[in-house]
Amino acid sequence: MIRRNAGVVVAAIMTLTTHWAAAFQAENQDQDTITTPSDWFLRDPQDDHVQGVSAEKAYNTLLKGKPSKTVLVAVIDSGIDVDHEDLKDIIWTNEDEIPGNGIDDDKNGYIDDVHGWNFIGGKSGNVNEDTYEVTREYKRLKPKYETIEEAKVGKKDKAEYEYWKRVKFKYERDFKANKDQYDEYNGQYMMYSSAMKNLTFCDSILSRSVGKPLSKSTLEAINPTSDTLRQAKTILVEVLGSIDEDIQVSEFLEGLQRYVDMLKEAVDHFGTAVNYGYNLDFNSRTVVGDDAKNLTEKNYGNNDVAGPDPKHGTHVAGIIGANRKNDIGVKGIADNVRIMSVRAVPNGDERDKDVANAIIYATDNGAKIINMSFGKAFSPNKELVDKAVKYAVSKGVLLVHAAGNDGDNTDMESNFPNRKFLKGGEAKTWLEIGASSWGADSNFVGSFSNYGKKSVDLFSPGVQIYSTTPDNTYENLQGTSMASPAAAGVAAVLLSYFPDLSAAQLKDILRQSTRKFDGLKVIKPGTHDEVPFSDLSNTGGLVNVYEAVKLASTIKTQPKSK
């Protein structure tokens, strides 16, 4: 699941709600981003006093004047706006394919795959929303186990029955929780949006009557000439009465509008969950036209690599490699990359078949790094994904995966896909990434970020990351979905300037060169407890380009065979 999940949405709402009592005497949750540079994640901790990855420092010193080779990075995601002003020059083009001729020129099984492929589309359109995997599993197993007594479950079905109980518990608990959240936020949204309209009207007619903008103090001096104006004044005076300072009415309304917008985002998120994610009757797959039961099927989908909502994937792509050579927008971390768009992730949970095919497609078409900013709690066809991961590992691909946004310890809670194979062993070229913020204090770790002393490798910037969004726009987003491409971008820098490094060496260098924070205690996600930052991942560190380049310079490599 790639859209902001409940952990990110609720954290943002709670932060804003906490500041509501101050009623915009100061800025809300975005206050820190006003004084923190929008490109903070590129900057250096020592020089710039923010916990970035030191990309600019590396380019201005260790890498200055050094040659580099282009690295192909695949982004398995919701889609990418390949025409974005800051991405179009770094988008991968399949030179063996003639655009728009309806022929599979390179004979790879995918017609007109010029910039990548879309595994959740078909001849009649694209999947946007989809169900969650827990919903699909609940629906699959319910007819078999709903009415059976546990004592009557056959020996060969015992394991599946235990699995069903976990699925049933999670589905019913989470559906209710999301429905309750939807009802709560929808009620607040209706109330505050109505208040916004009324207060805006009051401000409009009163400011027109006096011919100037209103503030808390100037309201007192107004002598209304009609009942309507008197009522408008009374309402505004009452609303602003709890604020100590002499605030401008327009400033108050701007703050209120931000709050309304946040509530609307929460309503949309939880509404989508209720109407699609947990909807047992919803079936998105008809548009794709594949055989869902045929797990070996490959050549389905279409070449629309943007899809209906490429916001998430476009943002991810920008973090990795937004054009550093132009004077517009933002700069990505890597300066010599091509981005391949592989669309496999809907607004809901990705399907194992699509993920496996996406990994294989990216590998077969030359990607050396694959970013995967998605995850889910169940993986019924994990063996299929494992096989694709093993194939990518055998071809020397580094797989970078977001740890997830549930504030969970993934040493104990499942988050798929992951490096561990169902039949034993693990992917040796896999990195699992948690999300960090800009300041080295107790709030250094994103409040939503999953963590794990065994399961998470390292942390990477993932809070308030400013990057590309569709239609030549830019936006702050946060999540481990942003942290993963930051780490992938660092890996791409290394491979670009040290092209003989293997995927295993890339992984080791990123891990060994992380910046450590001796003695730093942070708030453990999902709790109010402070724990050592070093306990939340197995390196206890933060990814850093400068340190990684220094270490890479000492590694002896053998030139790769052509």
Side-chain angles (χ1 to χ4, degrees):
M1 181 165 44
I2 57 161
R3 297 288 181 86
R4 282 189 176 188
N5 68 14
V8 178
V9 174
V10 173
I13 287 288
M14 290 302 294
T15 303
L16 192 55
T17 305
T18 300
H19 289 278
W20 182 252
F24 311 103
Q25 294 177 45
E27 288 293 330
N28 58 31
Q29 69 163 9
D30 293 328
Q31 181 176 1
D32 288 334
T33 64
I34 294 173
T35 56
T36 302
S38 61
D39 64 345
W40 72 265
F41 66 97
L42 298 174
R43 299 200 180 200
D44 180 67
Q46 183 175 352
D47 296 342
D48 304 305
H49 310 293
V50 288
Q51 304 304 318
V53 302
S54 305
E56 302 305 327
K57 181 178 181 179
Y59 285 122
N60 292 331
T61 56
L62 301 176
L63 298 177
K64 191 172 183 178
K66 297 290 180 66
S68 65
K69 290 187 177 180
T70 303
V71 174
L72 179 56
V73 181
V75 172
I76 302 177
D77 216 290
S78 66
I80 297 174
D81 178 1
V82 296
D83 296 318
H84 193 289
E85 62 184 5
D86 230 0
L87 296 177
K88 61 183 181 181
D89 292 334
I90 58 102
I91 295 296
W92 172 71
T93 297
N94 182 356
E95 295 180 354
D96 295 327
E97 198 73 26
I98 300 172
N101 69 352
I103 299 172
D104 181 15
D105 298 291
D106 60 1
K107 295 180 173 52
N108 69 350
Y110 302 98
I111 296 172
D112 289 337
D113 57 326
V114 178
H115 300 301
W117 194 251
N118 172 17
F119 286 99
I120 52 174
K123 294 179 180 179
S124 59
N126 294 304
V127 172
N128 188 4
E129 295 86 4
D130 204 347
T131 49
Y132 300 140
E133 196 66 75
V134 68
T135 306
R136 299 191 285 263
E137 287 295 88
Y138 183 86
K139 184 175 182 178
R140 179 176 71 87
L141 296 171
K142 183 179 179 182
K144 184 175 181 179
Y145 293 113
E146 182 183 29
T147 59
I148 193 171
E149 294 180 21
E150 185 167 358
K152 295 182 178 179
V153 175
K155 186 176 180 179
K156 66 181 180 64
D157 291 330
K158 286 287 187 183
E160 187 177 64
Y161 182 77
E162 291 301 317
Y163 175 71
W164 152 251
K165 288 197 296 184
R166 287 194 291 119
V167 168
K168 181 177 185 294
F169 173 79
K170 183 170 177 58
Y171 173 81
E172 293 177 354
R173 180 198 64 183
D174 291 357
F175 173 71
K176 183 181 184 305
N178 277 268
K179 181 65 166 61
D180 290 346
Q181 293 272 40
Y182 172 75
D183 291 341
E184 177 185 350
Y185 286 125
N186 191 50
Q188 290 187 41
Y189 172 71
M190 298 298 289
M191 178 175 65
Y192 281 109
S193 60
S194 177
M196 181 71 197
K197 292 177 183 177
N198 291 335
L199 293 174
T200 300
F201 174 73
C202 292
D203 175 54
S204 175
I205 61 174
L206 277 173
S207 59
R208 272 203 317 269
S209 72
V210 298
K212 60 181 180 181
L214 299 177
S215 68
K216 182 180 175 182
S217 60
T218 59
L219 271 172
E220 299 293 339
I222 296 176
N223 293 313
T225 58
S226 70
D227 289 342
T228 301
L229 292 175
R230 274 190 290 274
Q231 186 177 12
K233 176 183 175 180
T234 299
I235 291 172
L236 287 177
V237 168
E238 182 177 351
V239 169
L240 299 178
S242 62
I243 302 174
D244 295 332
E245 68 180 56
D246 185 18
I247 192 170
Q248 293 284 324
V249 175
S250 60
E251 181 185 357
F252 176 86
L253 291 175
E254 287 173 5
L256 178 58
Q257 184 61 60
R258 287 197 296 274
Y259 187 68
V260 170
D261 291 343
M262 289 289 287
L263 288 172
K264 181 63 166 61
E265 182 177 359
V267 169
D268 290 344
H269 169 80
F270 292 109
T272 298
V274 170
N275 295 322
Y276 300 102
Y278 294 103
N279 186 343
L280 294 168
D281 297 321
F282 180 65
N283 180 15
S284 70
R285 208 63 187 182
T286 54
V287 71
V288 178
D290 66 320
D291 180 359
K293 295 180 180 180
N294 182 1
L295 300 180
T296 63
E297 187 178 12
K298 296 185 180 304
N299 304 124
Y300 59 92
N302 65 36
N303 70 341
D304 181 1
V305 296
D309 185 4
K311 181 176 180 178
H312 189 277
T314 301
H315 198 270
V316 165
I319 295 169
I320 296 170
N323 196 330
R324 295 182 58 88
K325 298 178 176 65
N326 60 25
D327 295 322
I328 58 175
V330 298
K331 291 180 180 179
I333 292 175
D335 67 342
N336 193 357
V337 293
R338 292 294 178 267
I339 302 292
M340 175 195 296
S341 177
V342 190
R343 187 167 183 265
V345 188
N347 185 7
D349 277 353
E350 61 283 352
R351 297 175 185 242
D352 292 336
K353 174 181 173 180
D354 300 333
V355 172
N357 279 327
I359 291 171
I360 293 169
Y361 176 90
T363 302
D364 282 344
N365 285 279
K368 289 303 175 186
I369 299 170
I370 298 177
N371 186 79
M372 299 179 290
S373 290
F374 53 83
K376 58 184 180 179
F378 296 94
S379 181
N381 301 118
K382 178 169 168 51
E383 70 281 357
L384 201 66
V385 179
D386 287 352
K387 184 177 180 181
V389 169
K390 290 177 181 178
Y391 178 68
V393 170
S394 74
K395 296 295 184 180
V397 177
L398 179 70
L399 300 112
V400 188
H401 183 246
N405 301 328
D406 297 306
D408 285 340
N409 182 349
T410 50
D411 291 349
M412 298 184 292
E413 300 291 337
S414 296
N415 180 47
F416 299 104
N418 56 40
R419 80 180 88 226
K420 291 185 177 180
F421 299 133
L422 204 60
K423 296 183 178 179
E426 63 178 41
K428 299 300 184 183
T429 60
W430 182 290
L431 282 171
E432 193 79 6
I433 313 297
S436 62
S437 189
W438 51 83
D441 56 19
S442 61
N443 293 310
F444 177 52
V445 173
S447 62
F448 49 81
S449 181
N450 286 352
Y451 59 93
K453 184 68 174 176
K454 296 179 180 178
S455 54
V456 173
D457 289 283
L458 52 87
F459 277 73
S460 181
V463 175
Q464 293 295 334
I465 305 298
Y466 191 66
S467 184
T468 48
T469 44
D471 301 320
N472 298 333
T473 60
Y474 304 84
E475 192 173 329
N476 276 319
L477 295 179
Q478 60 185 24
T480 57
S481 284
M482 285 63 249
S484 180
V490 175
V493 173
L494 285 186
L495 191 56
S496 179
Y497 285 88
F498 303 91
D500 292 326
L501 290 173
S502 68
Q505 288 174 317
L506 274 180
K507 174 186 173 179
D508 289 344
I509 291 170
L510 259 68
R511 284 171 47 85
Q512 293 171 23
S513 63
T514 54
R515 291 184 58 249
K516 305 301 192 292
F517 297 80
D518 293 339
L520 174 64
K521 288 195 172 183
V522 299
I523 298 174
K524 184 166 71 171
T527 75
H528 298 291
D529 303 330
E530 287 195 357
V531 297
F533 173 61
S534 57
D535 286 353
L536 301 184
S537 69
N538 51 60
T539 65
L542 179 71
V543 72
N544 188 270
V545 179
Y546 186 83
E547 296 300 328
V549 169
K550 280 204 304 183
L551 181 56
S553 301
T554 70
I555 303 295
K556 291 183 179 181
T557 60
Q558 295 294 327
K560 296 176 183 177
S561 59
K562 295 182 179 179

